Amino acid sequence: CEALMRNIFKYGKAAVEHPDDYNARAQVMWTGTLAHNDICGCDRDQDWASHLIQHRIGAKYDSAHGAGLATIYPAWMKYVYKHDVPRFVRFATKVMGVDNDVFHPEEVALEGIARIKAYFSSIGMPTSLSELGVKDEDIKELANFNDGFFVKLTPADMEQIYELAK
């Protein structure tokens, strides 16, 4: 999983900056294929809450799945990271290249979250709900469901995630 994420960050940026780079585009497509055919999820419990949160945005506002995830995923991460700080430290260090600081693990985790949001911005993705046209008055309706495996999320939790994504 970590290798696929590193690959997509490396070649995704290259593909955006150089659209005619066949290798970069092929790497993005191959990485996407591996990620979407469930190889990473074999024999693992998976949490698709961020995707389901985005589905509601996409349905109401007709936004692309990736654009919605670029806004929701960092917000979801920020909301749930305290449930397993070492997991988010590992993501930060192994995927986002943050230097580990064993004396300040939360800072490392939060830096990883900040870097993924910055990455999305660097490739022209929206990083806030306002960029997708999401209206404040719709958040309660969008958040009216339960989901999550890693962290069980209630509608109140969902509202908080949407707030973090503003």
Side-chain angles (χ1 to χ4, degrees):
C1 291
E2 292 164 359
L4 290 177
M5 287 186 278
R6 285 191 305 268
N7 208 51
I8 203 70
F9 292 137
K10 176 181 178 180
Y11 289 105
K13 188 165 183 81
V16 168
E17 291 173 353
H18 307 284
D20 294 331
D21 183 338
Y22 180 84
N23 182 56
R25 295 174 71 79
Q27 290 287 339
V28 167
M29 296 306 290
W30 181 243
T31 302
T33 297
L34 294 175
H36 284 92
N37 72 8
D38 208 24
I39 285 177
C40 294
C42 288
D43 199 34
R44 296 173 27 145
D45 293 321
Q46 300 175 55
D47 190 308
W48 291 91
S50 59
H51 289 262
L52 295 175
I53 294 168
Q54 185 289 321
H55 286 167
R56 297 175 74 86
I57 295 168
K60 186 159 185 79
Y61 291 98
D62 194 31
S63 66
H65 189 55
L69 281 176
T71 65
I72 291 299
Y73 192 57
W76 173 84
M77 292 173 83
K78 198 167 195 178
Y79 190 76
V80 302
Y81 84 93
K82 288 186 180 182
H83 292 271
D84 190 351
V85 173
R87 175 185 296 213
F88 287 88
V89 167
R90 182 174 176 135
F91 169 81
T93 58
K94 301 287 186 183
V95 177
M96 301 311 298
V98 178
D99 290 333
N100 197 9
D101 179 348
V102 296
F103 299 108
H104 302 98
E106 284 196 37
E107 290 175 19
V108 173
L110 289 170
E111 177 61 23
I113 296 166
R115 286 189 188 186
I116 194 170
K117 187 172 182 175
Y119 171 81
F120 291 143
S121 180
S122 78
I123 62 169
M125 297 297 285
T127 57
S128 69
L129 292 178
S130 61
E131 291 176 80
L132 296 176
V134 176
K135 298 176 184 148
D136 286 345
E137 60 264 20
D138 292 333
I139 288 182
K140 192 170 257 338
E141 173 193 346
L142 292 168
N144 191 22
F145 70 107
N146 297 299
D147 197 62
F149 181 82
F150 173 63
V151 176
K152 299 289 184 204
L153 300 169
T154 66
D157 296 315
M158 300 294 184
E159 282 188 50
Q160 292 299 311
I161 293 168
Y162 281 117
E163 289 295 320
L164 287 170
K166 282 186 172 179

